[in-house]
Amino acid sequence: NAGVTQTPKFRILKIGQSMTLQCAQDMNHNYMYWYRQDPGMGLKLIYYSVGAGITDKGEVPNGYNVSRSTTEDFPLRLELAAPSQTSVYFCASSPTGSNQPQHFGDGTRLSIL
Amino acid sequence: GQNIDQPTEMTATEGAIVQINCTYQTSGFNGLFWYQQHAGEAPTFLSYNVLDGLEEKGRFSSFLSRSKGYSYLLLKELQMKDSASYLCAVFNDYKLSFGAGTTVTVRA
Protein backbone atom coordinates (compact mmCIF):
# COMPACT_ATOMS: atom_id res chain seq x y z
CA ASN A 1 0.00 0.00 0.00
CA ALA A 2 1.81 3.12 -1.25
CA GLY A 3 -0.35 5.73 0.55
CA VAL A 4 0.54 9.26 -0.56
CA THR A 5 3.36 9.48 -3.12
CA GLN A 6 5.14 12.73 -3.96
CA THR A 7 7.57 13.34 -6.79
CA PRO A 8 10.23 14.58 -7.10
CA LYS A 9 11.85 14.29 -3.67
CA PHE A 10 14.35 17.07 -4.35
CA ARG A 11 14.56 19.81 -6.95
CA ILE A 12 16.60 22.94 -7.59
CA LEU A 13 15.01 25.62 -9.76
CA LYS A 14 16.23 28.91 -11.13
CA ILE A 15 14.26 32.08 -10.47
CA GLY A 16 11.47 32.43 -13.02
CA GLN A 17 11.32 28.75 -13.97
CA SER A 18 8.14 26.76 -13.59
CA MET A 19 7.49 23.23 -12.39
CA THR A 20 4.81 20.88 -11.18
CA LEU A 21 5.00 18.93 -7.94
CA GLN A 22 3.18 15.66 -8.27
CA CYS A 23 1.02 14.04 -5.60
CA ALA A 24 -0.89 10.78 -5.92
CA GLN A 25 -2.80 8.71 -3.37
CA ASP A 26 -4.15 5.18 -3.72
CA MET A 27 -6.49 5.19 -0.72
CA ASN A 28 -9.53 6.58 -2.56
CA HIS A 29 -9.51 9.63 -0.29
CA ASN A 30 -11.73 12.52 -1.30
CA TYR A 31 -9.83 15.26 0.52
CA MET A 32 -6.34 16.31 -0.51
CA TYR A 33 -4.10 19.12 0.72
CA TRP A 34 -0.88 20.92 -0.13
CA TYR A 35 1.27 22.44 2.64
CA ARG A 36 4.60 24.18 2.75
CA GLN A 37 6.92 24.01 5.74
CA ASP A 38 9.68 26.56 6.23
CA PRO A 39 12.51 25.95 8.76
CA GLY A 40 11.28 26.32 12.33
CA MET A 41 7.74 26.98 11.17
CA GLY A 42 4.55 25.02 11.18
CA LEU A 43 2.87 23.74 8.05
CA LYS A 44 0.97 26.36 6.08
CA LEU A 45 -1.94 25.30 3.88
CA ILE A 46 -1.54 26.33 0.23
CA TYR A 47 -4.54 24.72 -1.49
CA TYR A 48 -6.96 21.93 -0.78
CA SER A 49 -9.53 19.86 -2.63
CA VAL A 50 -12.70 18.18 -1.38
CA GLY A 51 -13.08 15.99 -4.46
CA ALA A 52 -12.35 15.71 -8.16
CA GLY A 53 -13.01 19.01 -9.93
CA ILE A 54 -13.18 21.05 -6.70
CA THR A 55 -10.31 23.09 -5.29
CA ASP A 56 -10.02 26.01 -2.89
CA LYS A 57 -7.38 28.35 -1.54
CA GLY A 58 -5.72 27.89 1.78
CA GLU A 59 -3.70 30.33 3.86
CA VAL A 60 -0.80 30.98 1.41
CA PRO A 61 -2.00 30.38 -2.19
CA ASN A 62 -0.17 33.21 -3.99
CA GLY A 63 2.27 31.98 -6.62
CA TYR A 64 0.71 28.51 -6.85
CA ASN A 65 -2.01 26.75 -8.80
CA VAL A 66 -3.64 23.34 -8.47
CA SER A 67 -5.98 21.07 -10.35
CA ARG A 68 -7.90 17.92 -9.39
CA SER A 69 -9.02 16.04 -12.47
CA THR A 70 -9.09 12.65 -10.73
CA THR A 71 -9.57 11.41 -7.17
CA GLU A 72 -6.01 10.07 -7.09
CA ASP A 73 -3.95 13.04 -8.31
CA PHE A 74 -3.50 16.56 -6.97
CA PRO A 75 -0.58 18.36 -8.69
CA LEU A 76 0.77 21.71 -7.47
CA ARG A 77 2.07 24.15 -10.10
CA LEU A 78 4.63 26.91 -9.58
CA GLU A 79 4.49 29.25 -12.57
CA LEU A 80 7.28 31.77 -11.88
CA ALA A 81 9.55 30.43 -9.17
CA ALA A 82 10.76 32.95 -6.59
CA PRO A 83 13.34 32.52 -3.77
CA SER A 84 10.52 32.91 -1.22
CA GLN A 85 9.09 29.61 -2.48
CA THR A 86 12.13 27.68 -1.26
CA SER A 87 10.56 25.25 1.18
CA VAL A 88 9.56 21.68 1.87
CA TYR A 89 6.21 20.85 0.31
CA PHE A 90 3.95 18.17 1.76
CA CYS A 91 0.87 16.66 0.20
CA ALA A 92 -1.72 15.00 2.42
CA SER A 93 -5.03 13.21 2.06
CA SER A 94 -7.92 12.15 4.26
CA PRO A 95 -11.02 10.03 3.61
CA THR A 96 -13.52 12.75 4.44
CA GLY A 97 -13.52 16.31 5.72
CA SER A 98 -14.54 15.17 9.16
CA ASN A 99 -12.32 14.34 12.09
CA GLN A 100 -10.08 11.75 10.51
CA PRO A 101 -6.29 12.16 10.43
CA GLN A 102 -4.55 13.31 7.32
CA HIS A 103 -1.94 11.03 5.78
CA PHE A 104 1.18 12.80 4.55
CA GLY A 105 3.55 12.11 1.70
CA ASP A 106 7.32 12.18 2.25
CA GLY A 107 7.64 15.73 0.93
CA THR A 108 9.42 17.55 -1.89
CA ARG A 109 12.42 19.67 -0.94
CA LEU A 110 12.53 22.61 -3.33
CA SER A 111 15.30 25.20 -3.59
CA ILE A 112 15.02 28.24 -5.84
CA LEU A 113 18.26 30.04 -6.62
CA GLY B 1 -7.65 34.27 12.30
CA GLN B 2 -5.71 31.44 13.78
CA ASN B 3 -3.21 31.71 16.63
CA ILE B 4 -1.69 28.48 17.88
CA ASP B 5 1.17 28.61 20.37
CA GLN B 6 3.49 25.92 21.64
CA PRO B 7 7.00 26.06 23.12
CA THR B 8 9.86 25.97 20.64
CA GLU B 9 12.08 23.42 22.38
CA MET B 10 12.10 21.02 25.31
CA THR B 11 14.78 18.68 26.60
CA ALA B 12 14.26 15.67 28.83
CA THR B 13 16.06 12.57 30.02
CA GLU B 14 15.42 9.04 28.80
CA GLY B 15 12.72 7.40 30.93
CA ALA B 16 11.28 10.72 32.10
CA ILE B 17 7.94 12.41 31.34
CA VAL B 18 7.49 15.51 29.22
CA GLN B 19 4.38 17.63 28.77
CA ILE B 20 4.01 19.78 25.65
CA ASN B 21 1.45 22.55 25.97
CA CYS B 22 -0.56 24.08 23.17
CA THR B 23 -2.84 27.10 23.43
CA TYR B 24 -5.06 28.24 20.61
CA GLN B 25 -7.29 31.12 19.60
CA THR B 26 -9.06 30.24 16.37
CA SER B 27 -12.10 31.39 14.45
CA GLY B 28 -13.63 27.93 14.67
CA PHE B 29 -12.94 24.58 16.31
CA ASN B 30 -13.93 21.03 15.47
CA GLY B 31 -11.07 19.20 17.17
CA LEU B 32 -7.37 19.15 17.91
CA PHE B 33 -4.71 16.85 16.46
CA TRP B 34 -1.17 16.05 17.55
CA TYR B 35 1.38 14.91 15.00
CA GLN B 36 4.96 13.71 15.41
CA GLN B 37 7.58 14.69 12.86
CA HIS B 38 11.10 13.29 12.86
CA ALA B 39 13.76 15.45 11.21
CA GLY B 40 13.56 15.23 7.44
CA GLU B 41 10.40 13.13 7.50
CA ALA B 42 6.65 13.57 7.08
CA PRO B 43 4.32 14.23 10.01
CA THR B 44 2.59 11.16 11.41
CA PHE B 45 -0.65 11.12 13.40
CA LEU B 46 -0.43 10.69 17.17
CA SER B 47 -3.75 11.63 18.71
CA TYR B 48 -7.03 13.46 18.30
CA ASN B 49 -9.28 15.21 20.82
CA VAL B 50 -12.74 16.56 20.11
CA LEU B 51 -14.23 16.45 23.61
CA ASP B 52 -12.77 17.80 26.83
CA GLY B 53 -10.65 15.36 28.77
CA LEU B 54 -7.79 12.95 28.45
CA GLU B 55 -7.18 10.48 25.64
CA GLU B 56 -4.60 7.81 26.38
CA LYS B 57 -2.75 5.77 23.77
CA GLY B 58 0.08 3.74 25.25
CA ARG B 59 2.95 6.01 26.30
CA PHE B 60 1.27 9.06 24.76
CA SER B 61 -1.73 10.92 26.20
CA SER B 62 -3.44 14.08 25.03
CA PHE B 63 -5.70 16.43 26.97
CA LEU B 64 -8.14 19.08 25.78
CA SER B 65 -9.98 21.94 27.46
CA ARG B 66 -12.11 23.73 24.88
CA SER B 67 -13.25 26.44 27.29
CA LYS B 68 -9.61 27.38 27.98
CA GLY B 69 -8.34 26.90 24.42
CA TYR B 70 -5.72 24.54 25.77
CA SER B 71 -4.30 21.13 25.04
CA TYR B 72 -1.27 19.17 26.08
CA LEU B 73 0.55 16.09 24.86
CA LEU B 74 2.09 13.92 27.55
CA LEU B 75 4.96 11.62 26.64
CA LYS B 76 5.79 9.04 29.29
CA GLU B 77 8.78 6.69 29.66
CA LEU B 78 10.71 8.70 27.12
CA GLN B 79 12.86 6.82 24.64
CA MET B 80 15.63 8.12 22.40
CA LYS B 81 13.39 7.54 19.37
CA ASP B 82 10.92 10.10 20.78
CA SER B 83 13.35 12.88 19.83
CA ALA B 84 11.29 14.71 17.23
CA SER B 85 9.10 17.73 16.60
CA TYR B 86 5.53 17.59 17.93
CA LEU B 87 2.92 19.58 16.06
CA CYS B 88 -0.34 20.82 17.52
CA ALA B 89 -3.06 21.39 14.90
CA VAL B 90 -6.60 22.75 15.17
CA PHE B 91 -9.17 21.21 12.85
CA ASN B 92 -11.96 23.40 11.52
CA ASP B 93 -13.99 23.57 8.32
CA TYR B 94 -12.17 20.63 6.64
CA LYS B 95 -8.76 22.17 7.29
CA LEU B 96 -5.90 21.93 9.75
CA SER B 97 -4.06 24.96 11.16
CA PHE B 98 -0.70 24.05 12.65
CA GLY B 99 1.40 25.50 15.41
CA ALA B 100 5.12 25.96 14.75
CA GLY B 101 5.97 22.71 16.54
CA THR B 102 7.91 21.78 19.67
CA THR B 103 11.28 20.09 19.22
CA VAL B 104 11.83 17.51 21.95
CA THR B 105 15.35 16.26 22.56
CA VAL B 106 15.76 13.13 24.67
CA ARG B 107 19.12 12.77 26.40
CA ALA B 108 20.61 9.53 27.68
Side-chain angles (χ1 to χ4, degrees):
Chain A
N1 190 359
V4 179
T5 302
Q6 291 185 237
T7 56
K9 294 189 185 304
F10 304 93
R11 183 73 183 267
I12 298 175
L13 280 182
K14 294 182 180 179
I15 295 171
Q17 287 185 319
S18 61
M19 78 163 292
T20 299
L21 282 66
Q22 302 292 344
C23 176
Q25 53 92 7
D26 62 359
M27 298 173 284
N28 201 32
H29 286 175
N30 286 318
Y31 287 72
M32 296 188 74
Y33 306 83
W34 273 107
Y35 297 91
R36 59 177 288 172
Q37 186 176 34
D38 300 325
M41 304 290 286
L43 285 83
K44 301 290 186 185
L45 182 65
I46 305 171
Y47 271 96
Y48 69 102
S49 169
V50 303
I54 306 170
T55 62
D56 207 348
K57 296 178 181 179
E59 186 180 358
V60 289
N62 292 343
Y64 307 94
N65 280 299
V66 294
S67 59
R68 184 94 182 272
S69 57
T70 67
T71 299
E72 295 77 19
D73 299 300
F74 190 40
L76 178 72
R77 178 85 177 160
L78 282 71
E79 290 294 347
L80 288 171
S84 62
Q85 294 177 305
T86 293
S87 191
V88 180
Y89 291 85
F90 287 102
C91 178
S93 73
S94 66
T96 69
S98 64
N99 304 329
Q100 293 177 292
Q102 294 180 13
H103 301 259
F104 285 81
D106 289 337
T108 294
R109 283 147 185 81
L110 180 63
S111 294
I112 298 162
L113 306 174
Chain B
Q2 316 288 56
N3 189 24
I4 301 167
D5 290 320
Q6 44 182 138
T8 303
E9 295 179 333
M10 301 182 76
T11 301
T13 305
E14 197 173 13
I17 299 173
V18 69
Q19 178 175 314
I20 305 168
N21 296 323
C22 172
T23 58
Y24 62 89
Q25 292 176 303
T26 57
S27 55
F29 182 87
N30 292 130
L32 191 140
F33 285 86
W34 284 95
Y35 282 83
Q36 181 190 57
Q37 185 178 26
H38 285 101
E41 298 183 6
T44 55
F45 169 72
L46 281 179
S47 69
Y48 172 69
N49 295 72
V50 61
L51 300 176
D52 289 356
L54 189 67
E55 293 282 341
E56 298 188 81
K57 293 176 67 174
R59 295 188 299 112
F60 294 174
S61 302
S62 57
F63 171 84
L64 175 67
S65 169
R66 288 175 299 172
S67 62
K68 295 182 179 179
Y70 169 69
S71 174
Y72 69 72
L73 179 69
L74 195 68
L75 286 62
K76 293 176 277 189
E77 301 171 14
L78 278 172
Q79 302 175 8
M80 299 301 289
K81 67 179 182 179
D82 297 330
S83 291
S85 182
Y86 292 85
L87 312 176
C88 169
V90 171
F91 180 73
N92 181 55
D93 194 21
Y94 314 129
K95 302 184 291 290
L96 285 174
S97 296
F98 285 85
T102 299
T103 299
V104 172
T105 302
V106 181
R107 297 182 302 189

